């Protein structure tokens, strides 16, 4: 069926799987054919999970999966299944957690798990070298030992598998009845974050350092002037240090996934869509608080990068950019000092050397420079650095680019739609709003079919059942988009998604939402995740978004489902709220309902009011601007058309009389800070 040295991955849509289509390993995708083969042949499964931008995934592929001798061992002993963790986060969640139970260590990618034919793992790890080093066994020898254990120690393995399945089931929360919610976990979480804050370099803990945008957003809601100065310091210090560090691409815009050091200086160079969307929100909100031009430039440069490099001609956003090019990590991004000096004028070079750390020792592998904001520029250096940046950008464009994972993921698109829409509102940038709307329209027309949402798209093919995150993140993004510019189709889509979420994902007995839909394939576990990871918790975002949509529309079904989710997770966040900032955001608005602000009137006058409102940090508000030209509004938004702007302000079910003065509106929404 396939040419020589081509396996079944050649017909997959995932760029990551296609990277392995010509391995001598007889890779299978995760499907019924591969699983049936393992059962019929009573053969163990070697499951390898990774993603396109993963550096160590590439290393293991080059060392082992491209080696015919290693492939012979794998093909003889196992049914080999390769999974893209971005297309199948359901499998990744289950087997990462199983890895933790089996090895007592955290996981990562590549994830290498050995399964019995029914899919239960009995041994695993992450990266394994081809020959023994780093204290790890050589991969071919490991394969032989693990396969032998499957045949000679089945009794022990079956006993372990029973215990593992019980352990996986034990972490799925069960309903505890109706809870008496209070603000205590909010204060506990705040203190835990402050205690873990690195006061010198920002961020939390030591190396490696991740941005933690959900935790920073939790603190930012408390950081208005005169409120929580400690939270404010954590957020602004962290955002400043990140923007000054090498994790931020100061030539092309956008953030890399994480820093290998505590100073944010040297990243793993992959750029992920899911990081940059929430960071756009954070930096835009920080600019509102502080007015720091550094934050504005980060937002502007990142938004331009997104539209230039991450948006498809059809409108959807691509998933990621690789860390490697020409087989070397970071080669596209780092510089030789002589190369830069040759590109710049003498004045530009002096400014760049001082401000970007080029007058220091090389900071990348002892011989190259990854640019950082080493010194603040003087007023006279600013135009020189602008010119230097343009020259370096043009020169870098002549290099071999890192690979683009050009599949379009619904959940990650939602995070970027929210980021672009939020930044567009704060900075009044129509082109950013247009970008977010194009992506939204692409998702609605391409990945929403017959009232079912799909998870991924590439090369004209949309497929895979969407997950909890796809639905929850997209509802949240649509609420953000509507606040920037109300479109009836966006509200209709949000309601359809909310109804699908309740119908297909809610645990109607215990509360909360499963990660997979009720009609999803049966796996060894069905997670109901509450903790934030690299992306926010689907349950936390679902509860938060359903509450907001419920208040906006006066729809009790959405409010009740959100409350059932909070009741379910309440014992956990009460006992230990760390890592639960998304659920805590929902808790905050359960304790103090969000303020809804509906503006109605002539379009020109509304434009001015919208612009003035965008300059106010209103984390606790949901703002909808409805020009008189809009007709057939839902009952909750069907305000009368007027010759002047009228504003309806409601907190929960309590609504004020219409307001016709912006000064009165400003005083009304500013008089009582709503921070728990």
């Amino acid at each position: 069926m396939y040419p020589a040295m081509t396996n079944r991955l050649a017909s997959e849509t995932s760029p990551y799987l296609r990277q392995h289509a010509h391995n001598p390993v007889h890779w299978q995708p995760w499907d019924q054919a591969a699983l049936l083969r393992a059962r019929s042949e009573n053969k163990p499964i070697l499951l390898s999970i990774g993603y396109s931008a993963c550096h160590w995934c590439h290393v293991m592929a080059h060392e082992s999966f491209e080696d015919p001798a290693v492939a012979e061992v794998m093909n003889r002993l196992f049914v080999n299944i390769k999974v893209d963790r971005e297309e199948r986060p359901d499998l990744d969640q289950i087997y990462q957690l199983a890895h933790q139970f089996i090895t007592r260590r955290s996981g990562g990618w590549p994830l290498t798990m050995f399964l019995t034919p029914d899919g239960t793992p009995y041994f695993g790890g992450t990266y394994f070298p081809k020959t023994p080093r780093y204290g790890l066994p050589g991969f071919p020898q490991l394969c032989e030992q693990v396969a032998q254990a499957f045949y000679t120690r089945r009794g022990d393995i079956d006993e372990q598998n029973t215990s593992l399945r019980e352990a996986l089931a034990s972490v799925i929360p069960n309903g505890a009845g109706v809870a008496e919610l209070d603000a205590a976990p909010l204060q506990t979480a705040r203190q835990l974050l402050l205690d873990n804050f690195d006061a010198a370099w920002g961020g939390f803990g030591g190396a490696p350092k991740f941005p933690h945008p959900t935790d920073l957003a939790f603190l930012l809601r408390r950081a208005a002037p005169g409120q929580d100065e400690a939270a404010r310091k954590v957020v602004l210090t962290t955002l400043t240090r990140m923007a000054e560090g090498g994790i931020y691409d100061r030539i092309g815009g956008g953030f890399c996934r994480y820093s290998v050091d505590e100073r944010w200086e040297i990243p793993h160079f992959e750029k992920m869509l899911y990081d940059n969307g929430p960071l756009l929100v954070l930096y835009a909100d920080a600019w509102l608080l502080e007015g720091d031009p550094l934050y504005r430039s980060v937002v502007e440069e990142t938004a331009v990068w997104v539209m230039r490099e991450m948006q498809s001609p059809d409108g959807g956003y691509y998933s990621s950019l690789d860390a490697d090019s020409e087989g070397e990590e970071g080669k596209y991004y780092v510089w030789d000092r002589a190369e830069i000096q040759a590109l710049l004028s003498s004045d530009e070079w002096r400014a760049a050397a001082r401000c970007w750390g080029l007058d220091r020792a090389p900071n990348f592998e002892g011989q190259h420079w990854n640019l950082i904001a080493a010194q603040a520029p003087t007023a006279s250096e600013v135009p020189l650095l602008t010119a230097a940046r343009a020259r370096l950008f043009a020169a870098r464009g002549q290099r071999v680019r890192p690979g683009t994972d050009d599949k379009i993921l619904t959940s990650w698109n939602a995070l970027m739609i929210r980021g672009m829409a939020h930044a567009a509102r704060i900075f009044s940038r129509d082109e950013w709003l247009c970008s977010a709307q194009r992506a939204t329209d692409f998702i609605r027309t391409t990945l929403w079919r017959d009232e079912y949402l799909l998870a991924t798209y590439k090369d004209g093919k949309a497929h895979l059942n969407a997950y909890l995150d796809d639905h929850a993140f997209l509802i949240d993004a649509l609420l953000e988009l509507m606040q920037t510019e109300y479109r009836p189709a966006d509200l209709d889509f949000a309601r359809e998604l909310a109804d699908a979420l309740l119908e297909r994902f809610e645990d109607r007995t215990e509360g909360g939402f499963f990660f997979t839909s009720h009609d999803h394939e049966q796996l060894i576990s069905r997670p109901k995740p509450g903790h934030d990871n690299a992306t926010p918790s689907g349950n936390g975002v679902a509860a938060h978004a359903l509450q907001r949509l419920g208040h906006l529309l006066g729809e009790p079904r959405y409010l009740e489902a959100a409350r059932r989710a909070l009741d379910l997770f309440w014992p956990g966040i009460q006992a230990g709220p760390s890592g639960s900032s998304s659920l805590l955001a929902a808790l905050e608005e359960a304790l103090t309902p969000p303020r809804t602000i509906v503006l109605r009137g002539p379009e020109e006058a509304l434009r001015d009011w919208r612009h003035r409102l965008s300059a106010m940090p209103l984390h606790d508000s949901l703002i909808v601007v409805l020009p008189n030209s809009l007709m057939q509004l839902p009952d909750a938004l069907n305000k009368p058309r007027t010759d002047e702007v009228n504003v309806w302000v409601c907190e929960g079910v309590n609504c004020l009389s219409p307001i016709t003065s912006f000064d009165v509106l400003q005083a009304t929404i500013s008089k009582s800070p709503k921070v728990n």
Side-chain angles (χ1 to χ4, degrees), residues 260-461:
V260 301
D261 59 88
E262 75 280 2
R263 303 179 306 279
W264 306 104
E265 189 165 345
I266 304 299
H268 267 314
F269 287 89
E270 63 264 35
K271 290 185 182 179
M272 316 299 293
L273 192 70
Y274 66 73
D275 287 318
N276 284 280
L279 287 171
L280 275 173
V281 175
L282 276 171
Y283 277 93
D285 285 342
W287 180 81
L288 273 183
L289 283 181
E290 193 74 359
D292 190 331
L294 173 65
Y295 301 156
R296 181 176 192 126
S297 67
V298 165
V299 173
E300 290 176 341
E301 292 163 9
T302 300
V304 169
W305 164 72
V306 169
M307 293 186 294
R308 182 185 66 237
E309 298 186 32
M310 302 303 289
Q311 190 155 30
S312 74
D314 294 329
Y317 297 118
Y318 299 139
S319 296
S320 63
L321 298 181
D322 207 333
D324 299 6
S325 57
E326 300 183 82
E328 296 182 27
E329 185 181 10
K331 185 172 183 179
Y332 182 76
Y333 297 101
V334 300
W335 298 87
D336 293 329
R337 186 157 56 185
E339 179 187 10
I340 292 181
Q341 192 167 8
L343 290 167
L344 305 182
S345 71
S346 57
D347 288 342
E348 292 165 353
W349 162 248
R350 281 191 293 270
R354 190 184 80 85
C355 296
W356 291 344
L358 293 161
D359 56 357
R360 304 178 181 184
N363 60 1
F364 185 72
E365 298 183 347
Q367 54 185 329
H368 304 295
W369 280 262
N370 185 44
L371 304 182
I372 60 171
Q375 299 287 336
T378 64
S380 62
E381 287 175 324
V382 170
L384 295 172
L385 291 179
T386 300
R389 182 174 180 265
R391 292 182 193 274
L392 296 190
F393 179 78
R396 197 174 77 174
Q398 302 303 308
R399 298 176 178 178
V400 176
R401 284 177 48 80
T404 300
D405 187 329
D406 60 352
K407 68 178 179 292
I408 294 170
L409 298 170
T410 300
S411 61
W412 294 11
N413 268 251
L415 292 173
M416 184 54 73
I417 289 166
R418 181 173 183 267
M420 292 292 282
H422 189 80
R425 181 166 75 256
I426 288 176
F427 292 100
S428 300
R429 298 294 289 269
D430 290 343
E431 69 272 30
W432 302 350
L433 171 61
C434 180
S435 172
Q437 290 174 334
R438 287 182 61 222
T440 301
D441 294 344
F442 176 84
I443 297 295
R444 181 167 43 229
T445 58
T446 308
L447 289 138
W448 178 246
R449 295 184 178 175
D450 300 322
E451 298 184 349
Y452 270 81
L453 190 63
L454 300 174
T456 183
Y457 170 91
K458 189 179 185 307
D459 295 339
K461 181 180 180 182

Side-chain angles (χ1 to χ4, degrees), residues 83-134:
V83 165
D84 181 341
R85 65 105 172 177
E86 296 169 357
E87 284 194 340
R88 294 300 304 263
D90 53 337
L91 296 173
D92 189 51
Q93 280 191 45
I94 291 168
Y95 290 108
Q96 292 283 354
L97 183 58
H99 172 273
Q100 291 181 40
F101 282 133
I102 292 171
T103 68
R104 307 300 181 195
R105 294 192 301 271
S106 59
W109 301 279
L111 182 68
T112 308
M113 299 297 288
F114 298 90
L115 321 179
T116 56
D118 68 354
T120 307
Y122 66 97
F123 186 77
T126 52
Y127 162 78
F128 290 104
K130 186 170 74 170
T131 57
R133 64 180 185 275
Y134 311 131

Side-chain angles (χ1 to χ4, degrees), residues 7 78 95 101 117 142 146 152 168 186 355 361 389 397 430 478 492:
N7 55 52
F78 303 103
Y95 290 108
F101 282 133
L142 177 73
V146 171
T152 61
L168 291 171
L186 304 174
C355 296
R389 182 174 180 265
D430 290 343
L478 288 162
D492 292 343

